[in-house]
Amino acid sequence: MEDDSRPPSQKKAPRGRRRSDPLAPYWDAEIIPILKAAPGIRVIGVLDELRRRHPDLKANIRRTLERRIHAWRVLNGPEQDVIFRQEHERGRLGLSDFTDTSALGVAIAGEALDHRLYHFGLAFSGFEHAHVVLGGESFVALAEGLQNAPWPLGGVPREHRSDSLSASFRNLAADEREDQTQRYAALMGHYGMTSTRNNAGIAHENGSIESAHGHLKRALEDALLLRGTRDFASLDAYRAFVDEIVGRRNPTSSSGSRSRRRRWRHCRKAARPTSRRR
């Protein structure tokens, strides 16, 4: 109107939503109940659960979900940390370590389970494998986990990095330590991997897997919160639970982003072929 003294920039109509709200069918009915029932759950845990319930839901709603949950938690709960990932050469580095999982409070038929996880990861693609270990760290547990880990990849990385394996060698006589050292070298030779280790007392040199420990245990915690109980009928049931959660996180999963699946394909091409026998 000619008598409107406002500048042109102020006369524009407010911009409306260009597409329908992808979270509208789920926000009040499903997402808020999840956030209230499991206050510590991460955004990715909520997204994984939604996509499990609704397989046709697209993964590209993650940013929208993050913004909406962040805004909701400003008023109703704590904010979540932001995590930044490193970049690595494809197909080069695989890492192994053990991580304590006592904080998860898992029980088998009512009895607390004293266990840890053997955890393997590929630095470039983010592929990981986890294996429930009863008791302490040992060469047997490392060898079993390491041999099972690369088979979905169809190959092995050129380099395998671990800590100094001091926990595996603790309380062993000198000849037993030497025997395990030779067995480890033979295992690396069988799979054609170069063995590297961290310097003693400098755990951050294994940072890619140390960081992944935290992500995996938070994913397990999210899933346990959603499950509603930490008690499992059997050890096999708990191991199947761990396998399922790790599988959801891997780039091979249908819930993985396109960029992670692309990195996974690059990693497979660069990996050395696995041995025909374990």
Side-chain angles (χ1 to χ4, degrees), residues 26-38:
Y26 318 106
W27 183 255
D28 291 325
E30 299 186 53
I31 298 174
I32 288 182
I34 289 174
L35 295 175
K36 289 181 176 179

Side-chain angles (χ1 to χ4, degrees), residues 7-19:
S9 61
Q10 296 182 10
K11 296 179 183 179
K12 295 180 181 179
R15 177 180 172 182
R17 179 180 291 276
R18 294 186 176 182
R19 62 185 178 92

Side-chain angles (χ1 to χ4, degrees), residues 108-216:
I108 305 296
E111 296 291 330
L113 181 65
D114 180 16
H115 74 294
R116 63 192 64 222
L117 294 179
Y118 164 79
H119 195 190
F120 173 87
L122 293 176
F124 178 79
S125 69
F127 169 82
E128 59 187 331
H129 168 80
H131 180 70
V132 177
V133 175
L134 303 182
E137 301 176 19
S138 68
F139 172 76
V140 173
L142 172 68
E144 180 182 4
L146 180 58
Q147 292 185 85
N148 289 333
W151 284 89
L153 176 66
V156 294
R158 298 192 296 276
E159 177 185 340
H160 173 251
R161 179 175 298 169
S162 66
D163 63 14
S164 63
L165 300 181
S166 58
S168 301
F169 292 162
R170 190 177 296 127
N171 300 324
L172 294 180
D175 57 342
E176 292 177 305
R177 288 198 298 270
E178 179 62 25
D179 176 62
Q180 288 204 6
T181 300
Q182 293 178 1
R183 290 167 65 192
Y184 179 69
L187 180 65
M188 294 296 99
H190 179 74
Y191 284 99
M193 289 188 286
T194 299
S195 170
T196 60
R197 295 180 183 177
N198 300 334
N199 292 309
I202 309 181
H204 70 265
E205 291 185 351
N206 219 23
S208 292
I209 195 68
E210 293 280 350
S211 175
H213 290 337
H215 302 326
L216 174 58

